[in-house]
Amino acid sequence: EQLIQIQNKGGMAGFRVFIATQTCADFEARLGRRAKAMQVFGNTNNVIALRLRDHETARMVSDLFGETTLAKMSVSHSSGSNTEATAVEFSGSVSRMLKEERAPVVEVDLLMRLPNLQYFAMVAGGQIVKGRLPVIT
């Protein structure tokens, strides 16, 4: 309960909250109810997701990143001739079709297959970033 209050009211007082977890179920187990766990998750401004193993958590993160519109163009060509007409009569056509469909910005499957130290993050007002953590030797 105190974490939720800090998230809700602490920003105006200069509080910065950093939460690290492996699954969203960790919040649910600690808080006892799914609604409270979703409240913690919903009050988080910046999200950094490395490889996720839990399908439900990956779906929630993918949903958080939102959807985009994909445009797919298909082109078809056809040509032909009529044997009854003279030899120089041919016909042809070209058709193009543009189809738009909605798709997640970051697929659930991709979140579950990220290589070591690579991440997707949503920061600063919804900007989505793909990155890799550097290894310091």
Side-chain angles (χ1 to χ4, degrees):
E1 292 293 330
Q2 291 83 6
L3 173 63
I4 294 170
Q5 290 302 317
I6 290 172
Q7 282 184 299
N8 285 338
K9 313 269 188 293
M12 297 301 288
F15 278 86
R16 299 294 179 253
V17 179
F18 296 88
I19 303 170
T21 186
Q22 291 181 328
T23 67
C24 292
D26 293 341
F27 293 125
E28 190 173 343
R30 178 70 175 140
L31 296 170
R33 293 196 331 249
R34 180 170 175 79
K36 289 288 184 186
M38 297 310 299
Q39 193 173 8
V40 170
F41 195 66
N43 286 333
T44 304
N45 289 327
N46 299 322
V47 175
I48 301 171
L50 286 91
R51 181 176 52 239
L52 300 168
R53 293 293 184 202
D54 177 49
H55 196 269
E56 181 182 349
T57 303
R59 183 187 328 273
M60 289 172 59
V61 171
S62 177
D63 289 347
L64 179 68
F65 289 161
E67 291 186 333
T68 188
T69 302
L70 300 176
K72 293 184 176 182
M73 180 179 284
S74 60
V75 180
S76 64
H77 305 271
S78 66
S79 62
S81 64
N82 189 346
T83 57
E84 297 174 359
T86 62
V88 293
E89 289 188 22
F90 289 95
S91 63
S93 68
V94 176
S95 67
R96 293 185 181 130
M97 184 175 75
L98 182 63
K99 180 181 176 185
E100 292 184 349
E101 60 184 46
R102 302 288 294 166
V105 172
V106 181
E107 292 279 352
V108 172
D109 187 48
L110 182 58
L111 286 168
M112 297 181 76
R113 292 185 297 119
L114 278 173
N116 287 341
L117 301 176
Q118 293 192 17
Y119 65 89
F120 282 98
M122 187 170 74
V123 296
Q127 179 184 5
I128 297 173
V129 178
K130 166 73 169 76
R132 185 174 63 96
L133 297 173
V135 176
I136 300 171
T137 56

